[in-house]
mmCIF file of all heavy atoms in Angstrom:
data_model
loop_
_atom_site.group_PDB
_atom_site.id
_atom_site.type_symbol
_atom_site.label_atom_id
_atom_site.label_comp_id
_atom_site.label_asym_id
_atom_site.label_seq_id
_atom_site.Cartn_x
_atom_site.Cartn_y
_atom_site.Cartn_z
ATOM 1 N N TRP A 276 10.174 8.093 -4.746
ATOM 2 C CA TRP A 276 10.665 8.835 -3.611
ATOM 3 C C TRP A 276 12.111 9.213 -3.902
ATOM 4 O O TRP A 276 12.777 8.489 -4.611
ATOM 5 C CB TRP A 276 10.621 7.944 -2.329
ATOM 6 C CG TRP A 276 9.212 7.688 -1.851
ATOM 7 C CD1 TRP A 276 8.178 7.303 -2.589
ATOM 8 C CD2 TRP A 276 8.789 7.747 -0.486
ATOM 9 N NE1 TRP A 276 7.062 7.161 -1.811
ATOM 10 C CE2 TRP A 276 7.410 7.411 -0.526
ATOM 11 C CE3 TRP A 276 9.367 8.062 0.719
ATOM 12 C CZ2 TRP A 276 6.632 7.379 0.629
ATOM 13 C CZ3 TRP A 276 8.596 8.041 1.890
ATOM 14 C CH2 TRP A 276 7.262 7.695 1.823
ATOM 15 N N LEU A 277 12.504 10.329 -3.326
ATOM 16 C CA LEU A 277 13.853 10.800 -3.561
ATOM 17 C C LEU A 277 14.623 10.939 -2.293
ATOM 18 O O LEU A 277 14.112 11.577 -1.341
ATOM 19 C CB LEU A 277 13.762 12.152 -4.302
ATOM 20 C CG LEU A 277 14.897 12.412 -5.211
ATOM 21 C CD1 LEU A 277 14.788 11.544 -6.440
ATOM 22 C CD2 LEU A 277 14.864 13.855 -5.655
ATOM 23 N N ILE A 278 15.796 10.364 -2.216
ATOM 24 C CA ILE A 278 16.612 10.495 -1.031
ATOM 25 C C ILE A 278 17.884 11.196 -1.486
ATOM 26 O O ILE A 278 18.632 10.686 -2.298
ATOM 27 C CB ILE A 278 17.006 9.119 -0.442
ATOM 28 C CG1 ILE A 278 15.745 8.244 -0.295
ATOM 29 C CG2 ILE A 278 17.708 9.280 0.929
ATOM 30 C CD1 ILE A 278 16.068 6.762 -0.153
ATOM 31 N N SER A 279 18.092 12.412 -0.958
ATOM 32 C CA SER A 279 19.267 13.193 -1.371
ATOM 33 C C SER A 279 20.288 13.356 -0.267
ATOM 34 O O SER A 279 19.894 13.761 0.865
ATOM 35 C CB SER A 279 18.834 14.574 -1.917
ATOM 36 O OG SER A 279 19.939 15.226 -2.455
ATOM 37 N N ASP A 280 21.485 13.003 -0.573
ATOM 38 C CA ASP A 280 22.640 13.258 0.343
ATOM 39 C C ASP A 280 22.960 14.739 0.260
ATOM 40 O O ASP A 280 23.579 15.161 -0.705
ATOM 41 C CB ASP A 280 23.787 12.381 -0.140
ATOM 42 C CG ASP A 280 25.023 12.444 0.778
ATOM 43 O OD1 ASP A 280 25.070 13.361 1.609
ATOM 44 O OD2 ASP A 280 25.862 11.571 0.686
ATOM 45 N N ARG A 281 22.376 15.502 1.148
ATOM 46 C CA ARG A 281 22.454 16.955 1.251
ATOM 47 C C ARG A 281 21.487 17.663 0.247
ATOM 48 O O ARG A 281 21.212 17.148 -0.820
ATOM 49 C CB ARG A 281 23.861 17.534 0.916
ATOM 50 C CG ARG A 281 24.889 17.099 1.930
ATOM 51 C CD ARG A 281 26.145 17.940 1.683
ATOM 52 N NE ARG A 281 27.269 17.569 2.517
ATOM 53 C CZ ARG A 281 27.451 17.912 3.744
ATOM 54 N NH1 ARG A 281 26.560 18.676 4.355
ATOM 55 N NH2 ARG A 281 28.522 17.525 4.428
ATOM 56 N N PHE A 282 21.046 18.843 0.686
ATOM 57 C CA PHE A 282 20.204 19.724 -0.143
ATOM 58 C C PHE A 282 20.397 21.140 0.398
ATOM 59 O O PHE A 282 21.473 21.487 0.920
ATOM 60 C CB PHE A 282 18.752 19.225 -0.170
ATOM 61 C CG PHE A 282 17.866 19.889 -1.187
ATOM 62 C CD1 PHE A 282 18.170 19.793 -2.547
ATOM 63 C CD2 PHE A 282 16.714 20.567 -0.824
ATOM 64 C CE1 PHE A 282 17.369 20.380 -3.501
ATOM 65 C CE2 PHE A 282 15.882 21.145 -1.791
ATOM 66 C CZ PHE A 282 16.194 21.041 -3.096
ATOM 67 N N THR A 283 19.332 21.921 0.377
ATOM 68 C CA THR A 283 19.523 23.372 0.688
ATOM 69 C C THR A 283 19.832 23.655 2.147
ATOM 70 O O THR A 283 20.393 24.727 2.471
ATOM 71 C CB THR A 283 18.229 24.143 0.246
ATOM 72 O OG1 THR A 283 17.999 23.758 -1.122
ATOM 73 C CG2 THR A 283 18.393 25.630 0.274
ATOM 74 N N ASP A 284 19.517 22.739 3.052
ATOM 75 C CA ASP A 284 19.945 22.982 4.461
ATOM 76 C C ASP A 284 21.449 23.119 4.549
ATOM 77 O O ASP A 284 21.948 23.841 5.378
ATOM 78 C CB ASP A 284 19.447 21.849 5.342
ATOM 79 C CG ASP A 284 17.939 21.966 5.558
ATOM 80 O OD1 ASP A 284 17.509 22.932 6.236
ATOM 81 O OD2 ASP A 284 17.178 21.138 5.033
ATOM 82 N N ALA A 285 22.140 22.351 3.689
ATOM 83 C CA ALA A 285 23.609 22.473 3.682
ATOM 84 C C ALA A 285 24.035 23.866 3.253
ATOM 85 O O ALA A 285 25.035 24.400 3.747
ATOM 86 C CB ALA A 285 24.217 21.410 2.725
ATOM 87 N N THR A 286 23.263 24.495 2.331
ATOM 88 C CA THR A 286 23.604 25.861 1.904
ATOM 89 C C THR A 286 23.410 26.865 3.051
ATOM 90 O O THR A 286 24.207 27.743 3.236
ATOM 91 C CB THR A 286 22.772 26.236 0.686
ATOM 92 O OG1 THR A 286 22.642 25.109 -0.175
ATOM 93 C CG2 THR A 286 23.409 27.371 -0.074
ATOM 94 N N TYR A 287 22.294 26.665 3.782
ATOM 95 C CA TYR A 287 22.100 27.541 4.967
ATOM 96 C C TYR A 287 23.259 27.372 5.934
ATOM 97 O O TYR A 287 23.748 28.311 6.526
ATOM 98 C CB TYR A 287 20.761 27.196 5.627
ATOM 99 C CG TYR A 287 19.567 27.821 5.006
ATOM 100 C CD1 TYR A 287 18.720 27.096 4.187
ATOM 101 C CD2 TYR A 287 19.234 29.168 5.217
ATOM 102 C CE1 TYR A 287 17.567 27.665 3.591
ATOM 103 C CE2 TYR A 287 18.136 29.756 4.664
ATOM 104 C CZ TYR A 287 17.314 29.015 3.840
ATOM 105 O OH TYR A 287 16.223 29.601 3.255
ATOM 106 N N ALA A 288 23.691 26.109 6.115
ATOM 107 C CA ALA A 288 24.704 25.850 7.132
ATOM 108 C C ALA A 288 26.106 26.300 6.654
ATOM 109 O O ALA A 288 26.793 27.012 7.390
ATOM 110 C CB ALA A 288 24.688 24.338 7.493
ATOM 111 N N TYR A 289 26.487 25.850 5.418
ATOM 112 C CA TYR A 289 27.878 26.098 5.000
ATOM 113 C C TYR A 289 28.070 27.507 4.447
ATOM 114 O O TYR A 289 29.053 28.177 4.769
ATOM 115 C CB TYR A 289 28.277 25.078 3.928
ATOM 116 C CG TYR A 289 28.615 23.705 4.508
ATOM 117 C CD1 TYR A 289 27.606 22.812 4.843
ATOM 118 C CD2 TYR A 289 29.936 23.369 4.771
ATOM 119 C CE1 TYR A 289 27.902 21.583 5.410
ATOM 120 C CE2 TYR A 289 30.226 22.120 5.356
ATOM 121 C CZ TYR A 289 29.209 21.232 5.652
ATOM 122 O OH TYR A 289 29.496 20.030 6.209
ATOM 123 N N GLN A 290 27.147 27.947 3.540
ATOM 124 C CA GLN A 290 27.361 29.268 2.916
ATOM 125 C C GLN A 290 26.718 30.354 3.816
ATOM 126 O O GLN A 290 27.355 31.394 4.067
ATOM 127 C CB GLN A 290 26.739 29.308 1.508
ATOM 128 C CG GLN A 290 27.617 28.663 0.450
ATOM 129 C CD GLN A 290 27.762 27.128 0.644
ATOM 130 O OE1 GLN A 290 26.769 26.435 0.871
ATOM 131 N NE2 GLN A 290 28.967 26.668 0.582
#
Side-chain angles (χ1 to χ4, degrees):
W276 289 46
L277 209 72
I278 311 161
S279 186
D280 185 342
R281 295 192 186 278
F282 192 58
T283 309
D284 287 292
T286 321
Y287 278 102
Y289 284 81
Q290 282 65 48

